[in-house]
mmCIF file of all heavy atoms in Angstrom:
data_model
loop_
_atom_site.group_PDB
_atom_site.id
_atom_site.type_symbol
_atom_site.label_atom_id
_atom_site.label_comp_id
_atom_site.label_asym_id
_atom_site.label_seq_id
_atom_site.Cartn_x
_atom_site.Cartn_y
_atom_site.Cartn_z
ATOM 1 N N ALA E 41 -0.657 -30.581 40.354
ATOM 2 C CA ALA E 41 0.312 -31.268 39.473
ATOM 3 C C ALA E 41 -0.165 -31.147 38.018
ATOM 4 O O ALA E 41 0.673 -31.155 37.110
ATOM 5 C CB ALA E 41 0.449 -32.757 39.860
ATOM 6 N N ARG E 48 0.653 -24.626 29.967
ATOM 7 C CA ARG E 48 1.512 -24.624 28.792
ATOM 8 C C ARG E 48 0.644 -24.807 27.535
ATOM 9 O O ARG E 48 0.844 -24.168 26.551
ATOM 10 C CB ARG E 48 2.473 -25.790 28.839
ATOM 11 C CG ARG E 48 3.375 -25.812 30.009
ATOM 12 C CD ARG E 48 4.645 -25.000 29.801
ATOM 13 N NE ARG E 48 4.963 -24.359 31.055
ATOM 14 C CZ ARG E 48 5.421 -24.993 32.157
ATOM 15 N NH1 ARG E 48 5.503 -26.286 32.128
ATOM 16 N NH2 ARG E 48 5.715 -24.330 33.231
ATOM 17 N N PHE E 151 -6.226 -39.049 33.546
ATOM 18 C CA PHE E 151 -6.482 -38.377 32.250
ATOM 19 C C PHE E 151 -7.330 -39.220 31.344
ATOM 20 O O PHE E 151 -8.105 -38.705 30.556
ATOM 21 C CB PHE E 151 -5.168 -38.025 31.594
ATOM 22 C CG PHE E 151 -5.320 -37.224 30.369
ATOM 23 C CD1 PHE E 151 -5.808 -35.931 30.387
ATOM 24 C CD2 PHE E 151 -5.002 -37.779 29.116
ATOM 25 C CE1 PHE E 151 -5.986 -35.212 29.249
ATOM 26 C CE2 PHE E 151 -5.184 -37.051 27.952
ATOM 27 C CZ PHE E 151 -5.684 -35.780 28.056
ATOM 28 N N TYR E 214 8.716 -18.755 14.524
ATOM 29 C CA TYR E 214 8.434 -20.134 14.863
ATOM 30 C C TYR E 214 8.510 -21.009 13.606
ATOM 31 O O TYR E 214 8.061 -20.657 12.527
ATOM 32 C CB TYR E 214 6.995 -20.279 15.433
ATOM 33 C CG TYR E 214 6.999 -20.357 16.926
ATOM 34 C CD1 TYR E 214 6.771 -19.254 17.698
ATOM 35 C CD2 TYR E 214 7.256 -21.564 17.556
ATOM 36 C CE1 TYR E 214 6.778 -19.315 19.088
ATOM 37 C CE2 TYR E 214 7.249 -21.632 18.925
ATOM 38 C CZ TYR E 214 7.032 -20.508 19.665
ATOM 39 O OH TYR E 214 7.054 -20.614 21.038
ATOM 40 N N ASP E 215 9.085 -22.178 13.798
ATOM 41 C CA ASP E 215 9.178 -23.151 12.739
ATOM 42 C C ASP E 215 8.084 -24.160 13.069
ATOM 43 O O ASP E 215 8.073 -24.712 14.190
ATOM 44 C CB ASP E 215 10.532 -23.803 12.846
ATOM 45 C CG ASP E 215 11.043 -24.187 11.447
ATOM 46 O OD1 ASP E 215 10.237 -24.066 10.543
ATOM 47 O OD2 ASP E 215 12.192 -24.586 11.344
ATOM 48 N N GLU E 217 6.147 -27.763 12.457
ATOM 49 C CA GLU E 217 6.417 -29.097 11.883
ATOM 50 C C GLU E 217 5.350 -30.034 12.420
ATOM 51 O O GLU E 217 5.337 -30.321 13.615
ATOM 52 C CB GLU E 217 7.782 -29.545 12.433
ATOM 53 C CG GLU E 217 8.475 -30.536 11.528
ATOM 54 C CD GLU E 217 9.834 -30.849 12.102
ATOM 55 O OE1 GLU E 217 10.602 -29.990 12.356
ATOM 56 O OE2 GLU E 217 10.024 -32.052 12.328
ATOM 57 N N PRO E 218 4.394 -30.500 11.713
ATOM 58 C CA PRO E 218 4.042 -30.109 10.343
ATOM 59 C C PRO E 218 3.447 -28.713 10.293
ATOM 60 O O PRO E 218 3.824 -27.888 11.113
ATOM 61 C CB PRO E 218 2.993 -31.167 9.979
ATOM 62 C CG PRO E 218 2.434 -31.643 11.279
ATOM 63 C CD PRO E 218 3.548 -31.550 12.263
ATOM 64 N N LEU E 227 -4.120 -30.168 18.150
ATOM 65 C CA LEU E 227 -4.047 -29.558 19.461
ATOM 66 C C LEU E 227 -5.437 -29.290 20.040
ATOM 67 O O LEU E 227 -5.718 -29.532 21.215
ATOM 68 C CB LEU E 227 -3.266 -28.237 19.400
ATOM 69 C CG LEU E 227 -2.592 -27.843 20.661
ATOM 70 C CD1 LEU E 227 -1.208 -28.406 20.691
ATOM 71 C CD2 LEU E 227 -2.521 -26.332 20.817
ATOM 72 N N ARG E 230 -7.330 -32.105 21.697
ATOM 73 C CA ARG E 230 -6.642 -32.441 22.981
ATOM 74 C C ARG E 230 -7.016 -31.451 24.035
ATOM 75 O O ARG E 230 -7.154 -31.794 25.189
ATOM 76 C CB ARG E 230 -5.136 -32.460 22.785
ATOM 77 C CG ARG E 230 -4.612 -33.741 22.248
ATOM 78 C CD ARG E 230 -3.152 -33.893 22.513
ATOM 79 N NE ARG E 230 -2.815 -34.112 23.934
ATOM 80 C CZ ARG E 230 -3.140 -35.210 24.626
ATOM 81 N NH1 ARG E 230 -3.792 -36.179 24.017
ATOM 82 N NH2 ARG E 230 -2.772 -35.355 25.858
ATOM 83 N N PHE E 237 -10.407 -32.596 31.902
ATOM 84 C CA PHE E 237 -9.603 -33.238 32.963
ATOM 85 C C PHE E 237 -9.362 -32.239 34.107
ATOM 86 O O PHE E 237 -9.543 -32.564 35.288
ATOM 87 C CB PHE E 237 -8.230 -33.661 32.356
ATOM 88 C CG PHE E 237 -7.315 -34.327 33.349
ATOM 89 C CD1 PHE E 237 -7.711 -35.435 34.072
ATOM 90 C CD2 PHE E 237 -6.007 -33.878 33.489
ATOM 91 C CE1 PHE E 237 -6.870 -36.063 34.978
ATOM 92 C CE2 PHE E 237 -5.182 -34.515 34.401
ATOM 93 C CZ PHE E 237 -5.617 -35.607 35.116
ATOM 94 N N GLU W 35 11.535 -28.961 30.062
ATOM 95 C CA GLU W 35 10.405 -29.340 30.920
ATOM 96 C C GLU W 35 9.628 -30.429 30.201
ATOM 97 O O GLU W 35 9.316 -30.309 29.014
ATOM 98 C CB GLU W 35 9.506 -28.162 31.168
ATOM 99 C CG GLU W 35 10.083 -27.241 32.208
ATOM 100 C CD GLU W 35 9.122 -26.147 32.614
ATOM 101 O OE1 GLU W 35 8.130 -25.906 31.884
ATOM 102 O OE2 GLU W 35 9.354 -25.514 33.643
ATOM 103 N N PRO W 39 -0.356 -34.842 31.318
ATOM 104 C CA PRO W 39 -1.552 -34.247 31.867
ATOM 105 C C PRO W 39 -1.614 -34.409 33.423
ATOM 106 O O PRO W 39 -2.171 -33.564 34.095
ATOM 107 C CB PRO W 39 -2.667 -35.015 31.216
ATOM 108 C CG PRO W 39 -2.093 -35.537 29.947
ATOM 109 C CD PRO W 39 -0.634 -35.755 30.215
ATOM 110 N N GLU W 40 -1.034 -35.485 33.913
ATOM 111 C CA GLU W 40 -1.130 -35.724 35.334
ATOM 112 C C GLU W 40 -0.172 -34.843 36.145
ATOM 113 O O GLU W 40 -0.481 -34.413 37.212
ATOM 114 C CB GLU W 40 -0.934 -37.171 35.688
ATOM 115 C CG GLU W 40 -2.238 -37.974 35.760
ATOM 116 C CD GLU W 40 -2.470 -38.814 34.543
ATOM 117 O OE1 GLU W 40 -1.543 -38.879 33.734
ATOM 118 O OE2 GLU W 40 -3.562 -39.376 34.413
ATOM 119 N N LYS W 41 1.043 -34.692 35.647
ATOM 120 C CA LYS W 41 1.962 -33.898 36.453
ATOM 121 C C LYS W 41 3.201 -33.424 35.623
ATOM 122 O O LYS W 41 3.411 -33.802 34.524
ATOM 123 C CB LYS W 41 2.436 -34.712 37.649
ATOM 124 C CG LYS W 41 3.214 -35.965 37.241
ATOM 125 C CD LYS W 41 3.586 -36.733 38.494
ATOM 126 C CE LYS W 41 4.341 -37.989 38.080
ATOM 127 N NZ LYS W 41 4.297 -39.018 39.088
ATOM 128 N N PRO W 68 13.079 -21.213 17.551
ATOM 129 C CA PRO W 68 11.743 -21.613 18.022
ATOM 130 C C PRO W 68 11.121 -22.599 17.054
ATOM 131 O O PRO W 68 11.073 -22.392 15.857
ATOM 132 C CB PRO W 68 10.951 -20.315 18.028
ATOM 133 C CG PRO W 68 11.919 -19.227 17.916
ATOM 134 C CD PRO W 68 13.196 -19.770 17.366
ATOM 135 N N LEU W 70 7.709 -25.549 16.799
ATOM 136 C CA LEU W 70 6.571 -26.197 17.412
ATOM 137 C C LEU W 70 6.331 -27.450 16.596
ATOM 138 O O LEU W 70 6.114 -27.353 15.396
ATOM 139 C CB LEU W 70 5.331 -25.264 17.405
ATOM 140 C CG LEU W 70 4.106 -25.824 18.135
ATOM 141 C CD1 LEU W 70 4.435 -26.079 19.592
ATOM 142 C CD2 LEU W 70 3.003 -24.826 18.038
ATOM 143 N N SER W 71 6.382 -28.588 17.220
ATOM 144 C CA SER W 71 6.241 -29.831 16.483
ATOM 145 C C SER W 71 5.388 -30.824 17.213
ATOM 146 O O SER W 71 5.342 -30.820 18.440
ATOM 147 C CB SER W 71 7.664 -30.426 16.213
ATOM 148 O OG SER W 71 7.489 -31.729 15.703
ATOM 149 N N PHE W 95 3.234 -32.894 22.038
ATOM 150 C CA PHE W 95 3.771 -31.730 21.355
ATOM 151 C C PHE W 95 5.097 -31.296 21.974
ATOM 152 O O PHE W 95 5.297 -31.483 23.162
ATOM 153 C CB PHE W 95 2.810 -30.514 21.453
ATOM 154 C CG PHE W 95 1.499 -30.847 20.905
ATOM 155 C CD1 PHE W 95 0.495 -31.352 21.753
ATOM 156 C CD2 PHE W 95 1.172 -30.549 19.596
ATOM 157 C CE1 PHE W 95 -0.732 -31.653 21.234
ATOM 158 C CE2 PHE W 95 -0.059 -30.859 19.096
ATOM 159 C CZ PHE W 95 -1.012 -31.394 19.913
ATOM 160 N N GLU W 97 7.601 -27.894 22.132
ATOM 161 C CA GLU W 97 7.716 -26.472 21.820
ATOM 162 C C GLU W 97 9.064 -25.962 22.242
ATOM 163 O O GLU W 97 9.466 -26.098 23.379
ATOM 164 C CB GLU W 97 6.615 -25.642 22.479
ATOM 165 C CG GLU W 97 6.627 -24.222 21.993
ATOM 166 C CD GLU W 97 5.845 -23.266 22.908
ATOM 167 O OE1 GLU W 97 5.611 -23.636 24.091
ATOM 168 O OE2 GLU W 97 5.507 -22.185 22.463
ATOM 169 N N GLU W 108 1.422 -36.921 25.911
ATOM 170 C CA GLU W 108 0.165 -37.523 26.261
ATOM 171 C C GLU W 108 0.324 -38.464 27.427
ATOM 172 O O GLU W 108 -0.485 -38.615 28.329
ATOM 173 C CB GLU W 108 -0.413 -38.309 25.092
ATOM 174 C CG GLU W 108 -1.068 -37.437 24.080
ATOM 175 C CD GLU W 108 -1.685 -38.263 22.973
ATOM 176 O OE1 GLU W 108 -2.180 -39.347 23.224
ATOM 177 O OE2 GLU W 108 -1.688 -37.752 21.855
#
Side-chain angles (χ1 to χ4, degrees):
Chain E
R48 302 275 143 66
F151 184 67
Y214 260 98
D215 213 352
E217 204 179 305
L227 206 92
R230 277 199 71 68
F237 182 53
Chain W
E35 284 188 343
E40 266 102 8
K41 63 181 179 203
L70 186 59
S71 170
F95 303 89
E97 188 198 18
E108 281 184 34

